[in-house]
């Protein structure tokens, strides 16, 4: 069997529970047709780069699949019929990654950048002192300029 990654974007009107249920429905189609879902991740409601079918946001779900091509085609056919699915993309891959995807990794972790201690101290005096302000001529009351 071949290995696939599939990302699905569902409408913003449905709840998170409904989006996860929708993902489970498509995973069941894969299982029924002789494949298996190695990993399923619900990424949450995210803002789209551009409007898709009048939606500004969408529920994202990722599937890592180990399935025959017929099972993937059946899942994609059902995705195209379903009104709650805005877009989907399935890509064949050489190997599936067992680690959490980049979207699921904690945003609080800074990785190898750390606290940016390699920059050194911040200096705000590199331009020198500020020159004195220019005084604008004032117009006396009753005079026209």
């Amino acid at each position: 069997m071949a290995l696939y990654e599939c990302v699905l974007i569902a409408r913003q009107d449905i709840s998170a529970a409904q989006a996860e249920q929708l993902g489970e429905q498509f995973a069941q189609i894969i299982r029924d047709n002789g494949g298996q879902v190695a990993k399923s991740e619900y990424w949450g409601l995210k803002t789209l780069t551009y409007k898709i079918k009048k939606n500004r946001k969408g529920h994202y779900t990722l599937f890592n699949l180990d399935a025959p091509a017929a099972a993937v085609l059946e899942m994609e056919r059902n995705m195209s019929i379903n009104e709650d699915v805005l877009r989907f993309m399935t890509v064949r891959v050489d190997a599936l990654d067992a680690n959490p995807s980049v979207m699921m990794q904690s945003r609080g972790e800074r990785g190898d950048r750390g606290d940016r201690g390699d920059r050194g101290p911040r200096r705000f005096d590199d331009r020198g002192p500020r020159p004195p302000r220019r005084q604008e001529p004032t117009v006396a009351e009753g005079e026209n300029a």
Side-chain angles (χ1 to χ4, degrees), residues 59-117:
H59 294 275
Y60 282 72
T61 305
L62 168 78
F63 299 108
N64 281 356
L65 308 171
D66 183 8
V72 174
L73 288 173
E74 179 64 18
M75 180 188 69
E76 288 182 339
R77 186 184 73 79
N78 280 286
M79 284 181 180
S80 63
I81 292 172
N82 196 316
E83 292 178 356
D84 290 333
V85 176
L86 297 177
R87 289 280 193 280
F88 63 89
M89 177 182 259
T90 306
V91 179
R92 186 169 178 182
V93 294
D94 294 329
L96 296 177
D97 189 13
N99 298 328
S101 64
V102 175
M103 298 294 287
M104 294 300 287
Q105 292 174 0
S106 173
R107 296 203 192 300
E109 295 178 9
R110 297 295 296 198
D112 58 343
R113 295 185 340 182
D115 61 352
R116 305 239 178 155

Side-chain angles (χ1 to χ4, degrees), residues 44-63:
L45 186 66
K46 303 213 171 282
T47 304
L48 301 171
T49 304
Y50 53 89
K51 282 186 180 180
I52 300 174
K53 297 180 184 175
K54 300 181 182 178
N55 290 282
R56 292 189 180 274
K57 294 185 176 192
H59 294 275
Y60 282 72
T61 305
L62 168 78
F63 299 108

